[in-house]
């Protein structure tokens, strides 16, 4: 007969409740600070709702009224070097951390003036929510994207759960830098069941990152109750699956939350890894705007009234009166002064037009600011030595993949900020293809094999890059895996610089390899260039030879933008001329003219360059062959492209991959916009088929463009020329 053995989780899981003795033992100064921050945040949020109700907030106004106790109680124990990020409903967390930063220089107690840096902080946050140029992100972030790095706020986030992996990057940066700082990531009950959150919990636990996962369980994801969304609504239970110690606490009780955070921080600062805190809180209003949930039928007024009776501001006020720390009039005066300063700030940002208020027109950002700061201005590479076209200096024949590994070895030796992460990059003699050979042995503690969780480790790398102390190099084993991590790749890393005002650097390199022709089928064979070219913020390089790889990778590792480095398995084992000197860059805007002619301009990249050159030589064709090298919108060499097309008047775009995700489709449109008057005929394109490559060798060949398609298209164009 079978027998069962009860199993115990590795980590503890407790409900923490503050007693009256705990309240009595609280330092009066801490209670005073709690009350002031709670009152300021409440007055701020009331102003936001008032402005939104008058149509002066363009977009959502996700109020945190009712949830302030969790934010203030949890952020009070943090040190100046600790960092936080949050979700779309993050005004209270932003302000709690920002006001704590300001309080280092300016008293923030119940009888102190609410002026100076305190007032500037409130005004900057409100201006940002209104989309004004004086906001913390210059009006680009709005209600959902608030960042103030100096104060330790690394950014709130509109994608549910999207900021959690980024916080792991900040935590990793602090650990790598040798500090005892801790990061806290705030998210709601709706995010708990999202893959990126659970992936990050696993990664943070495996790597013992100093990260607190703070779950604000306000019971509703818009209108869906937590009981409808999960069979285990005690959300802190998630930590047990990953061996993370977890606390459940009443978030309406700032003292209980404060105590739980103190315990969680002690775990993290001791190097024992992450912690989970679930704070049960309640948003008094609907998902967005100033109506209660009962107005939409998913809550009743009795439930709302019961939660309001537990208001955190009222609770702190009552306890301070009971302990003779303040009088009722002191508390009333404080609330009134908080409301008054917010009314003054609101008045400064608006103007009366007849009987209605409007935003002051001079406070809007200029329309010309629209595209500023999508990418770096490249000043960081202005003084670096350039490589000329082709192999620079002394060369020797080597395998392409060996050059890939050698470049990384040299750069990591010269730049201690570079770290490498990805699946199996630390094993198998350099990963699955040898591209990271010797890195783990040569640079212990800087090469990390990750779990199979692209969303988590891509986001971690994004947070690490935004932190600014390190330069992560991420490997996706195959480019198709970008779809698994699409939120982090495109919504987070690609948009971060622009979204947060244009000033934040995101120095990250994403390496991946095209594997068409290897029989890996539909989900391992794509060319990612066409997708990334449509995504703002990314730069793209596609080296076709070892000499170019050296210059392009060196540039990618020096630029303060995310750069996609596309490699190709067909090139890895080829013996090709490679430079002995592995220094120097090929900067953006540096296409290579591989052949010169007058009848057709052939534009290509990566592994299609050599087949094009072979066919041109076979046909003895009088054509230009341009190897793009840099593929993104901002980095294309329009001087070389334009000069060639104005001479030949005909264009052939050659790529290997599928027609639907074609890079050439985008490029053809751009060429027509810029150079239509010099074209004597339609732009011709060589691409693969509509379908992704299949496993069958015959079907795979049919799905990919090759020599036959190139030869036929070029021959047709030459007949017309």
């Amino acid at each position: 007969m079978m027998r069962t053995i009860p199993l115990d989780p590795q980590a503890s899981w407790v409900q923490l409740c503050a007693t009256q003795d705990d309240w009595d033992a609280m330092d009066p100064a801490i209670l005073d600070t709690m009350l002031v921050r709670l009152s300021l945040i409440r007055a701020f949020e009331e102003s936001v709702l008032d402005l939104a109700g008058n149509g002066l907030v363009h977009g959502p106004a996700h109020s945190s009224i009712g949830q302030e106790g969790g934010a203030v109680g949890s952020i009070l124990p943090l040190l100046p070097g600790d960092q936080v990020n949050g979700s779309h409903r993050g005004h209270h967390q932003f302000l709690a951390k920002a006001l704590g930063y300001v309080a280092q220089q300016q008293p923030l107690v119940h009888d102190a003036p609410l002026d100076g840096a305190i007032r500037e902080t409130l005004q900057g946050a409100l201006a940002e929510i209104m989309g004004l140029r004086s906001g913390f992100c210059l009006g680009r972030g709005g209600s959902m994207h608030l960042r103030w790095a100096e104060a330790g706020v690394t950014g709130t986030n509109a994608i549910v759960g999207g900021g959690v992996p980024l916080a792991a990057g900040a935590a990793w940066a602090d650990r790598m830098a040798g500090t005892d700082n801790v990061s806290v990531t705030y998210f709601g009950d709706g995010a708990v069941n999202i893959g990126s959150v659970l992936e990050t919990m696993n990664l943070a636990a495996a790597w013992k990152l100093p990260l607190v996962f703070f779950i604000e369980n306000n019971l509703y994801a818009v209108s869906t109750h937590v009981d409808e969304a999960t069979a285990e609504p005690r959300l802190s239970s998630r930590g047990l699956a990953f061996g993370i110690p977890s606390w459940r606490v009443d978030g309406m009780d700032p003292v209980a939350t404060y105590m739980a955070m103190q315990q969680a921080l002690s775990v993290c600062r001791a190097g024992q890894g992450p912690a989970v805190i679930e704070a049960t809180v309640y948003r008094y209003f609907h998902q967005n705007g100033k109506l209660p949930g009962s107005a939409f039928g998913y809550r009743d007024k009795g439930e709302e009234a019961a939660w309001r009776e537990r208001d955190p501001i009222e609770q702190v006020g009552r306890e301070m009166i009971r302990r003779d720390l303040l009088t009722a009039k002191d508390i009333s005066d404080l609330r009134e002064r908080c409301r008054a300063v917010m009314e003054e700030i609101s008045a400064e940002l608006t103007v009366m037009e007849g009987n209605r208020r409007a935003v002051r027109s001079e406070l809007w950002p200029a329309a010309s600011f629209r595209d500023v700061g999508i990418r770096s201005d490249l000043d960081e590479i202005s003084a670096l030595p350039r490589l000329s076209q082709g192999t620079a200096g002394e060369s020797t024949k080597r395998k392409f993949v060996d050059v890939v590994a050698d470049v990384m070895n040299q750069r990591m030796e010269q730049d201690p900020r570079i770290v490498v992460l990805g699946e199996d990059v630390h094993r198998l003699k350099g990963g699955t293809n040898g591209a990271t050979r010797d890195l783990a042995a040569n640079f212990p503690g800087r090469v990390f094999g990750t779990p199979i969780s692209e969303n988590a480790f891509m986001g971690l790398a994004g947070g690490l890059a935004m932190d600014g102390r390190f330069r992560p190099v991420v490997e996706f084993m195959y480019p198709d895996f970008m779809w698994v991590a699409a939120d982090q790749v495109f919504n987070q890393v690609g948009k971060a610089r622009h979204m947060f005002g244009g000033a934040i650097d995101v120095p990250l390199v994403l390496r991946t390899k095209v594997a068409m022709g290897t029989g890996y089928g539909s989900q391992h064979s794509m060319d990612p260039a066409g997708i990334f070219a449509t995504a703002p913020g990314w730069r793209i390089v596609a080296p076709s030879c070892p000499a170019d790889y050296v210059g392009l990778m060196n540039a990618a590792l020096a630029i303060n933008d995310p750069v996609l480095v596309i490699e190709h398995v067909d090139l890895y084992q080829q013996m090709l001329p490679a430079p002995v000197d592995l220094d120097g860059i090929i900067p953006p805007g540096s296409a290579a003219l591989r052949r010169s002619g007058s009848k057709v301009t052939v534009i290509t990249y990566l592994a299609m360059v050599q087949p094009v050159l072979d066919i041109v030589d076979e046909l003895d064709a009088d054509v230009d062959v341009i190897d793009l090298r840099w593929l993104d919108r901002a980095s294309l060499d329009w001087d070389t492209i334009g000069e060639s097309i104005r001479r030949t008047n005909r264009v052939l775009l050659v790529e290997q991959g599928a027609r639907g995700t074609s890079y050439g489709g985008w490029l053809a449109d751009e060429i027509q916009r810029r150079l239509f008057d010099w074209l004597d005929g339609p732009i011709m394109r060589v691409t693969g088929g509509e379908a992704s490559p299949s496993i069958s060798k015959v079907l795979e060949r049919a799905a990919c463009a090759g020599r036959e398609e190139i030869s036929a298209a070029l021959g047709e164009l030459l007949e017309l020329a």
Side-chain angles (χ1 to χ4, degrees), residues 27 56 63 176 190 195 279 306 375 508 583 592 614 639 719:
D27 184 336
L56 300 174
S63 164
M176 291 279 291
R375 301 171 187 83
L508 179 150
D583 292 322
D614 292 344
D639 291 339
E719 288 181 6

Side-chain angles (χ1 to χ4, degrees), residues 425-452:
V425 295
H426 62 320
R427 300 265 166 79
L428 306 176
K429 297 182 179 180
T432 54
N433 292 94
T436 55
R437 171 185 43 80
D438 297 333
L439 297 184
N442 292 344
F443 307 101
R446 292 170 59 193
V447 179
F448 297 84
T450 65
I452 301 174

Side-chain angles (χ1 to χ4, degrees), residues 505-528:
D505 291 336
V506 190
L508 179 150
V509 169
L510 173 59
R511 290 183 47 251
T512 194
K513 63 178 184 284
V514 176
M516 279 181 256
T518 61
Y520 267 73
S522 296
Q523 295 176 334
H524 286 67
S525 302
M526 79 175 296
D527 176 352

Side-chain angles (χ1 to χ4, degrees), residues 298-428:
Y298 62 89
R299 302 196 304 209
D300 63 59
K301 292 182 179 180
E303 174 185 317
E304 292 171 342
W307 279 93
R308 280 183 176 269
E309 289 177 1
R310 301 173 54 212
D311 188 276
I313 301 178
E314 298 298 328
Q315 185 175 14
V316 174
R318 285 194 302 270
E319 289 297 323
M320 294 188 76
I321 292 171
R322 185 184 62 80
R323 290 180 58 183
D324 293 325
L325 302 174
L326 291 178
T327 66
K329 185 176 186 307
D330 292 330
I331 295 171
S332 175
D333 288 347
L334 172 63
R335 290 296 310 278
E336 187 54 41
R337 288 194 301 117
C338 291
R339 292 191 185 101
V341 73
M342 288 312 307
E343 287 176 3
E344 292 171 9
I345 291 171
S346 296
E348 290 171 1
L349 301 178
T350 59
V351 64
M352 292 302 298
E353 293 181 351
N355 60 355
R356 60 181 292 274
R357 274 197 294 172
V359 175
R360 292 182 182 273
S361 59
E362 68 271 18
L363 300 182
W364 293 115
S368 59
F369 186 57
R370 182 192 66 188
D371 292 339
V372 174
I374 295 176
R375 301 171 187 83
S376 164
D377 62 7
L378 299 180
D379 182 64
E380 65 271 23
I381 64 169
S382 60
L384 296 180
R386 266 57 170 168
L387 293 180
S388 59
Q389 181 170 320
T391 303
E394 183 183 355
S395 67
T396 181
K397 280 199 170 184
R398 302 196 60 212
K399 283 184 181 179
F400 190 110
V401 74
D402 289 339
V403 176
V404 172
D406 287 352
V407 170
M408 281 303 304
N409 268 277
Q410 180 144 323
R411 294 283 74 77
M412 290 186 74
E413 183 176 345
Q414 295 178 358
D415 189 347
R417 297 172 300 169
I418 297 174
V419 295
V420 175
L421 57 159
E423 294 155 8
D424 296 305
V425 295
H426 62 320
R427 300 265 166 79
L428 306 176

Side-chain angles (χ1 to χ4, degrees), residues 37-38 40-42 44-45 48 62-75 84-100 125 129 143 146 153 156 186-188 214-218 251 279 281-283 312:
R37 295 188 192 179
L38 288 167
L40 273 175
I41 294 169
R42 177 67 59 85
F44 180 92
E45 291 287 64
V48 170
H62 295 118
S63 164
S64 65
I65 291 178
Q67 299 186 190
E68 303 95 337
V72 171
S74 62
I75 287 174
V84 307
N85 77 358
S87 69
H88 60 284
R89 191 181 311 282
H91 305 165
H92 53 327
Q93 296 140 10
F94 175 87
L95 286 174
K97 189 66 167 73
L99 290 171
I129 291 168
S143 173
L146 295 164
V153 184
T156 59
Y186 291 87
F187 53 96
F214 194 97
I215 307 166
E216 279 191 320
N217 184 359
N218 67 19
V281 294
Y282 200 76
R283 55 172 165 85

Side-chain angles (χ1 to χ4, degrees), residues 68-390:
E68 303 95 337
V72 171
S74 62
I75 287 174
L76 260 177
L78 301 186
L79 299 177
D82 297 333
Q83 302 184 79
V84 307
N85 77 358
S87 69
H88 60 284
R89 191 181 311 282
H91 305 165
H92 53 327
Q93 296 140 10
F94 175 87
L95 286 174
K97 189 66 167 73
L99 290 171
Y101 173 73
V102 168
Q104 296 176 83
Q105 289 83 35
Q106 181 177 353
L108 193 58
V109 293
H110 76 275
D111 54 356
L114 301 177
D115 56 11
I118 297 170
R119 200 176 192 282
E120 291 171 6
T121 300
L122 297 169
Q123 185 177 54
L126 189 60
E128 185 57 47
I129 291 168
M130 295 172 69
L132 306 181
R133 57 183 171 82
S134 59
F136 278 98
C137 300
L138 309 184
R140 285 181 175 158
S143 173
M144 299 185 287
H145 312 108
L146 295 164
R147 174 182 168 90
W148 189 13
E150 292 81 3
V153 184
T154 59
T156 59
N157 205 290
I159 302 298
V160 175
V164 176
L166 301 175
W172 198 37
D174 273 320
R175 195 190 72 177
M176 291 279 291
T179 77
D180 65 350
N181 294 333
V182 175
S183 290
V184 184
T185 182
Y186 291 87
F187 53 96
D189 48 282
V192 168
N193 303 311
I194 286 178
S196 59
V197 173
L198 300 174
E199 285 183 29
T200 306
M201 284 185 176
N202 177 67
L203 188 59
W207 289 3
K208 294 193 178 303
L209 300 183
L211 177 61
V212 177
F213 296 90
F214 194 97
I215 307 166
E216 279 191 320
N217 184 359
N218 67 19
L219 306 183
Y220 292 91
V222 187
S223 65
T224 301
H225 195 277
V226 65
D227 290 344
E228 302 174 75
T230 177
E232 174 50 279
R234 298 173 300 171
L235 305 179
S236 45
S237 64
R238 305 305 194 265
L240 302 186
F242 305 106
I244 303 174
S246 303
W247 287 260
R248 195 165 195 252
V249 67
D250 177 6
M252 306 298 279
D253 182 338
V255 167
T257 309
Y258 179 89
M259 294 165 59
M261 180 58 84
Q262 284 183 312
Q263 294 185 16
L265 290 173
S266 67
V267 169
C268 295
R269 296 201 203 282
Q272 297 173 13
V276 171
I277 296 176
E278 174 195 2
T280 53
V281 294
Y282 200 76
R283 55 172 165 85
Y284 292 171
F285 297 96
H286 180 53
Q287 166 77 356
N288 173 33
K290 60 191 305 183
L291 292 174
S294 56
F296 297 86
Y298 62 89
R299 302 196 304 209
D300 63 59
K301 292 182 179 180
E303 174 185 317
E304 292 171 342
W307 279 93
R308 280 183 176 269
E309 289 177 1
R310 301 173 54 212
D311 188 276
I313 301 178
E314 298 298 328
Q315 185 175 14
V316 174
R318 285 194 302 270
E319 289 297 323
M320 294 188 76
I321 292 171
R322 185 184 62 80
R323 290 180 58 183
D324 293 325
L325 302 174
L326 291 178
T327 66
K329 185 176 186 307
D330 292 330
I331 295 171
S332 175
D333 288 347
L334 172 63
R335 290 296 310 278
E336 187 54 41
R337 288 194 301 117
C338 291
R339 292 191 185 101
V341 73
M342 288 312 307
E343 287 176 3
E344 292 171 9
I345 291 171
S346 296
E348 290 171 1
L349 301 178
T350 59
V351 64
M352 292 302 298
E353 293 181 351
N355 60 355
R356 60 181 292 274
R357 274 197 294 172
V359 175
R360 292 182 182 273
S361 59
E362 68 271 18
L363 300 182
W364 293 115
S368 59
F369 186 57
R370 182 192 66 188
D371 292 339
V372 174
I374 295 176
R375 301 171 187 83
S376 164
D377 62 7
L378 299 180
D379 182 64
E380 65 271 23
I381 64 169
S382 60
L384 296 180
R386 266 57 170 168
L387 293 180
S388 59
Q389 181 170 320

